[in-house]
Amino acid sequence: KIEARLRELGGQGLVRRVKTRHLLPLESDVARGRFQTFGRGFGFVLVEGGGSGDIYVPARLAKGAMSGDEVEVLFRPRGRTGRPEGRIVRILRKERKQLLGFYRERDGRPHFAPFDAAGGEEIALGSLHGLYPKPGMIVSVDRTGLALTAILGFPEDAGVDAQVVARRYGLAEAFPSEVMAEAEAAAGRPDDES
């Protein structure tokens, strides 16, 4: 089982075999850092401590990492452009537990197009949890089990934009009753005219 996995890793260029030992590829290194994606799908790993600078990662080699994830990257100090370039080997810590994006259907099966995916690819959903979204609706999905957790609505629906911003940046969607009471009391007071 281990030998099969090592052969698979060798085929991906992640290890090389020298006699009876398995080693990292020549002219490569491993670093840890935070992954940041950009609109076209590619991203950069911002290395902890900044030792080797930012490492470019093409979308096809991001391995499902999303912006903010702590990752381990296998890289060459001089890629095609002369700058460090690599591929994500492991996601060490997922920044977000919930993902937002568009609900889609492909061949009658539920899919999800996350806002923050590196490659912009659609992901097959594991479960709808009894929810019935329509294609094009904005939904929230549990990243670990790929299960639908909430339907926010169509992008043009009232209040959906505020919900997206609140969930995306971890803002409170509701306020405690004391805060609401104080806001209502303040709304009834006339402004000071000075």
Side-chain angles (χ1 to χ4, degrees), residues 136-151:
M137 287 183 149
I138 296 176
V139 295
S140 179
V141 171
D142 172 56
R143 187 171 177 189
T144 306
L146 294 176
L148 192 66
T149 57
I151 300 171

Side-chain angles (χ1 to χ4, degrees), residues 41-140:
F42 64 89
F44 290 90
V45 175
L46 311 173
V47 179
E48 291 175 353
S52 58
D54 298 347
I55 301 167
Y56 170 73
V57 177
R60 71 183 189 288
L61 301 177
K63 203 171 183 178
M66 306 232 171
S67 257
D69 288 351
E70 187 180 329
V71 298
E72 197 168 71
V73 62
L74 178 67
F75 71 99
R76 293 185 313 250
R78 293 182 57 96
R80 282 186 246 159
T81 61
R83 298 184 60 204
E85 185 175 320
R87 70 172 64 206
I88 303 246
V89 179
R90 278 192 309 166
I91 299 172
L92 302 171
R93 189 179 62 77
K94 295 177 179 179
E95 177 69 17
R96 294 192 191 124
K97 306 300 181 220
Q98 294 285 314
L99 300 176
L100 294 173
F102 292 103
Y103 176 77
R104 305 265 194 250
E105 287 183 357
R106 197 179 318 147
D107 298 324
R109 294 192 181 105
H111 282 74
F112 172 69
F115 293 149
D116 296 326
E121 69 278 352
E122 292 182 0
I123 301 168
L125 291 175
S127 171
L128 295 180
H129 280 283
L131 301 171
Y132 301 99
K134 293 183 175 124
M137 287 183 149
I138 296 176
V139 295
S140 179

